[in-house]
Amino acid sequence: MTRTVTGRTDHVVVVGAGLAGLSAALHLLGAGRRVTVVERDPLPGGRAGRRELGGYRLDTGPTVLTMPDLADEAFAAVGERLRDHVELLPLHPAYRACFADGTALDVHTDADAMETEVERFAGAGEAAGYRRLRDWLGRLYAVQMRRFIDANFDSPLGLLTPDLARLAALGGFGRLDTRIGRFLTDERLKRVFSFQALYAGVAPSRALAAYAVIAYMDTVAGVYFPRGGVHALPRAMAAAAAGAGADLRLGRAVTRLERSGNRVTAVVTDHERIPCDAVVLTPDLPVVHRLLGRRPRRPLALRHAPSAVVLHAGTTRTWPHLAHHTLSFGAAWRRTFDELTRTGTLMTDPSLLITRPTAHDPSLAPEGRHLHYVLAPCPNTDIGPGARAWSDLAPRYRDRLLATLERRGLTGIAAAVEEECLVTPADWTAQGHAAGTPFSVAHTFAQTGPFRPRNLVRGTDNAVLAGCGTTPGVGVPTVLVSGKLAAARITGTPRRPRAARGGRR
Ligand SMILES: Cc1cc2nc3c(=O)[nH]c(=O)nc-3n(C[C@H](O)[C@H](O)[C@H](O)COP(=O)(O)OP(=O)(O)OC[C@H]3O[C@@H](n4cnc5c(N)ncnc54)[C@H](O)[C@@H]3O)c2cc1C
């Protein structure tokens, strides 16, 4: 049994209606708590937000949705089912990977289909390697999920379980790229199973092999698209929370916390004072530390993940070689990660994620139009251009991106754009994200598991953190887990989910 907050916990205020806050709210409601959710934006979703642009409906954040079961768990806590709220389409292929040499590979989550595709792409030897890799990814996931991801830790000693030995035996503490190289020799294929390190904010050559668990989530467990866009998920979670009795207060920024001794007694917004028995804090760490009036001491300053530029382009045409998600790799690889994580320069030979949500939901664009979301990783503002520099850089970078896309087969894209919006580290900074990155604290070894900022707050008896800055970390699946773990810190051991309405579960 891990530690919990002390004292009364009847009424919990959750600050932030992002995915972590909404997950915490649903799990708390399921455990019988009264819950108030306070969100500064007019919409729920946080980073998984929505923007309307000339008849186009944009997802502002995540586009690669994996592990929907974790969202379902949050719905189940209040007796609901995800599938009754959101239509999830499994994506086949999960990604299309396009390489600088003109070759392309479809990443299938079905084992046989992927083996056939790998064989076509790189021969029978690599196909056999893929089978072994897939098996390893499955075992890695099984060991990590229950013990290291979906678990609260009170100290690093909590790691000392037989699963730690299992993880070590699986090579989880080696380097990601070396481990992937034990299964595959084709450089292009290796990229397909190691680029996910960037989601954790680290280069594959420096990431723990344990982070291959992300490759399990997208290449094995599968990628889904919610009809209506990824924002449909937080919207549905907010509706389920409201349906289960949560008081959702949108458009209210929390300005301070009232305290009495070691307890937070009320959450104060720009509109009102809300008394509480306990509080869950989900904004970025600097905001949380300001609200708590203290910043925990750490031997080393926190290192932030790289950031991203996102170009949203509403276009009059699309390109047949694009799948729903297309990974457009440059020829450079190590140099690209060096630029993003060490030298702080913009990618000279970019690797890009191009998402075309209108491939599965044309209603996200006006009739006959298409939406393209181009994500270009870039250095964060700690090591790269600062927020001010981005105001000058942005138009030139936009032109560079379009020129790259044009060269990579999106012929005529510049002329086809009728609505657009470029989001840069300057915008992430304006939203209050430290180091100009929406990807929070990087998952270096020193910032992983029990070494990541903890969800229990020292010196405050009834405050818990959730969200990407705390455990287990960044990404939709992990922040959904973080909300559940935060709720468990308040209610004790997680309860079994309630039966879904009508006894369907
Ligand atoms: C461009 C982009 C692409 C991404 N792509 C993917 C992807 O494909 N797949 C994936 O799994 N993950 C992806 N991610 C990461 C994922 O979206 C995030 O890790 C996750 O959504 C973070 O959720 P959160 O609840 O921790 O934080 P948030 O969503 O930021 O929630 C925190 C909430 O707190 C609110 N808040 C802040 N301050 C206050 C205050 N003072 N008072 C009241 N409310 C406040 C904020 O408005 C916000 O709603 C992406 C993120 C971005 C930005």
Side-chain angles (χ1 to χ4, degrees), residues 228-284:
V230 172
H231 177 69
L233 175 62
R235 222 176 32 226
M237 290 172 76
D247 178 0
L248 255 68
R249 303 193 187 181
L250 302 176
R252 314 275 174 97
V254 173
T255 51
R256 65 190 176 87
L257 304 176
E258 265 182 28
R259 299 174 73 110
S260 168
N262 280 352
R263 292 189 78 77
V264 175
T265 50
V267 170
V268 181
T269 77
D270 40 10
H271 286 66
E272 76 261 89
R273 173 183 179 278
I274 310 168
C276 64
D277 298 315
V279 63
V280 176
L281 302 169
T282 75
D284 243 18

Side-chain angles (χ1 to χ4, degrees), residues 14-23 37-49 59-66 95 199 214 217 223 230 249 251-256 267-270 281-284 287-288 290-291 307-310 312 325 353 355 373 375 423 428 431-433 437-440 466-470 473-480 482-483:
V14 176
V15 179
L19 291 166
L22 293 167
S23 166
V37 182
V38 187
E39 166 57 52
R40 73 176 172 189
D41 290 344
L43 288 178
R47 277 164 249 217
D59 271 329
T60 59
T63 57
V64 180
L65 178 67
T66 59
Y95 297 103
Y199 291 163
I214 311 177
M217 292 178 183
V223 175
V230 172
R249 303 193 187 181
R252 314 275 174 97
V254 173
T255 51
R256 65 190 176 87
V267 170
V268 181
T269 77
D270 40 10
L281 302 169
T282 75
D284 243 18
V287 178
V288 166
R290 183 172 49 72
L291 291 174
S307 183
V309 171
V310 182
H312 300 273
H325 292 300
L353 169 68
T355 296
Y373 164 120
L375 186 144
V423 184
W428 304 123
Q431 288 174 31
H433 298 316
T437 174
F439 305 116
S440 190
C468 50
T470 184
V474 180
V476 172
T478 30
V479 303
L480 292 170
S482 88

